[in-house]
Amino acid sequence: QCFQQRQPKDVQLKPIRYSDCVKAAEKATIGGKAGAPMHFSRDAHSGMQLPERWAHGSCVIRIDMKQQEDHDTFTLFVVANAASLIAQKCSDATPSSPGLGGLALIGPRKLVVMMVFGRTPGPPPRPRPTILAVANTA
């Protein structure tokens, strides 16, 4: 389900770029365990304690349980795939979409709420100054 813009007097949603969302989704799968089933819950001892978020550029992916006591088991590939599907449907990749992101219930039990939404990216990191060392030959 894609988000729609609110009334002008309300807080306005930020648009997302599909390419940024793909990169944010890739961040969810970094590491060697993306294909292994993980236990998702708000419990500190779960494989993936929620809420969790990944961001890149204009895009934020956030997942959380519907209820405090809920739990589900699936892979981070499911997270990345669902985020990419939302981004494809609800971003600049689909001309008829408002391009503001959307939400879905994911996992086998549909107890994890995924939101893909926009943000205003901060300034790019400043380059570090180059320090040149000169050998003292004296």
Side-chain angles (χ1 to χ4, degrees):
Q1 164 182 345
C2 296
F3 296 135
Q4 300 294 320
Q5 193 61 272
R6 299 175 180 172
Q7 297 296 321
K9 63 181 177 165
D10 294 333
V11 175
Q12 297 296 292
L13 300 171
K14 305 286 186 208
I16 61 173
R17 285 189 304 275
Y18 177 70
S19 59
D20 287 346
C21 291
V22 168
K23 289 178 182 171
E26 288 171 357
K27 289 182 179 184
T29 62
I30 291 175
K33 299 181 181 181
M38 296 183 76
H39 187 76
F40 290 76
S41 77
R42 290 185 182 164
D43 184 348
H45 303 290
S46 67
M48 174 65 73
Q49 184 180 6
L50 300 182
E52 182 62 81
R53 61 182 264 156
W54 301 271
H56 182 86
S58 66
C59 187
V60 177
I61 299 166
R62 184 179 190 278
I63 58 174
D64 197 3
M65 303 308 301
K66 284 175 64 174
Q67 302 291 325
Q68 179 68 30
E69 65 279 354
D70 289 343
H71 59 90
D72 206 348
T73 302
F74 51 95
T75 69
L76 287 171
F77 282 133
V78 170
V79 173
N81 186 55
S84 293
L85 290 172
I86 293 170
Q88 184 174 16
K89 179 181 172 187
C90 305
S91 74
D92 60 347
T94 302
S96 62
S97 167
L100 301 170
L103 64 91
L105 296 175
I106 65 170
R109 300 176 66 205
K110 304 293 185 213
L111 298 174
V112 176
V113 178
M114 171 178 281
M115 292 188 295
V116 178
F117 55 94
R119 70 175 183 164
T120 302
R126 286 194 245 161
R128 294 183 180 178
T130 303
I131 300 173
L132 300 174
V134 178
N136 185 353
T137 58

